[in-house]
């Protein structure tokens, strides 16, 4: 059964800390892995990773994919209160339109 | 571009009532999907469409119908609402081809009493 598992379920850190969020997956086929940020509204797209070992970076956020070990990490450095959100990982299995989502990691950044 | 739009933002229904959640996108995306999001369950796919006139079931299709008469619109119909359908509903669209990213609408919060 195809699935996406994220860890930890929740995380509380202080401003300035660095956090690492994990996403592991098992899918029959694989096209890409996507990270989303969800505040109290719709998920917004962060990164899409298709190739192993190539880091995607946007400001203080970065992500990397390991297709051999079937996981991805999302790093956030120098966290700010505005980073507080649920971070979702999804896998595009290259069949139809069935993106598989993890249940998310809830990040709370305390001032 | 408005992106993906959804209406209404919030709705209260009584058990047994019917309603249609509207979704539209102006990005000319081929793929459109409906998800529901419940606490601790993540996003679950209800129905999806790979183009006008083509729809298919996702993970949790029971109690919902969809149609896709145009590329832009993908309404979700609840024929006889049940309390178990209380949830937040997101519509998403995806450009076809390789390297697809889904773009979500703002969501509809539905409460069924």
């Amino acid at each position: 059964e195809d699935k996406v598992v994220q860890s930890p379920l929740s995380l509380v850190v202080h401003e300035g800390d660095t956090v690492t969020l994990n996403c592991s997956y098992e899918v029959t086929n694989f096209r890409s892995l996507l990270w989303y940020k969800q505040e109290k509204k719709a998920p917004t797209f962060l990164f899409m990773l298709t190739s192993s070992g190539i880091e995607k970076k946007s400001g203080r956020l970065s992500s990397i994919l390991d297709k051999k070990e079937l996981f991805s990490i999302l790093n956030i450095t120098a966290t700010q209160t505005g980073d507080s959100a649920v971070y979702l990982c999804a896998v595009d299995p290259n069949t139809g339109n069935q993106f598989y989502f993890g249940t998310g990691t809830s990040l709370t950044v305390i001032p | 571009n408005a992106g993906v739009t959804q209406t209404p933002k919030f709705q209260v229904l009584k058990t047994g009532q019917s309603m249609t959640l509207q979704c539209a996108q102006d990005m000319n995306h081929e793929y459109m999907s409906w998800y529901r999001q419940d606490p601790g369950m993540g996003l679950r796919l209800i129905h999806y469409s790979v183009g006008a006139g083509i729809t298919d079931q996702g993970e949790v299709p029971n109690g919902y119908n969809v149609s896709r008469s145009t590329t832009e619109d993908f309404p979700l119909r609840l024929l006889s609402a049940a309390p178990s359908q209380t949830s937040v509903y997101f519509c998403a669209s995806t450009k076809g081809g390789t390297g697809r990213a889904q773009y979500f609408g703002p969501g509809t919060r539905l409460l069924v009493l």
Side-chain angles (χ1 to χ4, degrees), chain A residues 31-32 34 36 38 41-45 48 50 88 92-99 101-103, chain B residues 31-33 35 37 40-43 45 48 58-59 90 94 97-102 104-106:
Chain A
R31 173 160 31 194
S32 64
L34 303 98
Y36 290 85
Q38 186 175 25
K41 47 188 193 258
T44 53
F45 173 73
M48 178 166 58
T50 56
L88 297 168
D92 178 355
N94 200 24
T95 55
N97 201 34
Q98 183 87 21
F99 285 71
F101 280 83
T103 53
Chain B
Y31 299 97
M32 295 185 76
S33 310
Y35 292 88
Q37 187 173 38
M41 302 289 287
L43 283 158
L45 183 67
Y48 65 94
E59 181 185 356
F90 290 104
T94 311
T98 59
R100 310 178 301 170
Q102 287 198 318
F104 287 84

Side-chain angles (χ1 to χ4, degrees), chain B residues 35-98:
Chain B
Y35 292 88
R36 60 179 289 174
Q37 187 173 38
D38 304 292
M41 302 289 287
L43 283 158
R44 293 185 292 169
L45 183 67
I46 305 171
H47 285 284
Y48 65 94
S49 168
V50 299
I54 306 170
T55 63
D56 207 345
Q57 296 180 350
E59 181 185 356
V60 288
N62 292 340
Y64 308 95
N65 279 349
V66 292
S67 60
R68 184 99 179 269
S69 57
T70 66
T71 300
E72 294 78 20
D73 300 297
F74 190 43
L76 177 73
R77 280 182 287 278
L78 283 71
L79 300 176
S80 179
S84 61
Q85 293 178 303
T86 293
S87 188
V88 179
Y89 292 85
F90 290 104
C91 178
S93 76
T94 311
K95 185 176 172 62
T98 59

Side-chain angles (χ1 to χ4, degrees), chain A:
Chain A
E1 180 183 336
D2 296 336
K3 63 181 179 181
V4 178
V5 178
Q6 291 186 246
S7 64
L9 289 179
S10 65
L11 198 53
V12 180
V13 300
H14 288 95
E15 270 192 319
D17 288 350
T18 294
V19 297
T20 298
L21 310 182
N22 304 294
C23 176
S24 64
Y25 62 91
E26 296 177 23
V27 294
T28 307
N29 295 297
F30 177 88
R31 173 160 31 194
S32 64
L33 185 143
L34 303 98
W35 284 98
Y36 290 85
K37 178 182 182 182
Q38 186 175 25
E39 297 169 272
K40 293 189 185 298
K41 47 188 193 258
T44 53
F45 173 73
L46 293 174
F47 297 113
M48 178 166 58
L49 302 131
T50 56
S51 300
S52 213
I54 298 176
E55 184 181 52
K56 289 284 185 82
K57 198 169 173 62
S58 176
R60 297 175 294 101
L61 277 67
S62 63
S63 183
I64 196 160
L65 174 68
D66 186 328
K67 290 170 75 172
K68 181 179 177 186
E69 300 297 330
L70 308 182
F71 77 91
S72 173
I73 60 172
L74 175 68
N75 277 324
I76 308 175
T77 59
T79 51
Q80 303 171 357
T81 54
D83 296 326
S84 296
V86 174
Y87 290 84
L88 297 168
C89 172
V91 171
D92 178 355
N94 200 24
T95 55
N97 201 34
Q98 183 87 21
F99 285 71
Y100 294 102
F101 280 83
T103 53
T105 293
S106 176
L107 174 65
T108 302
V109 181
I110 300 171

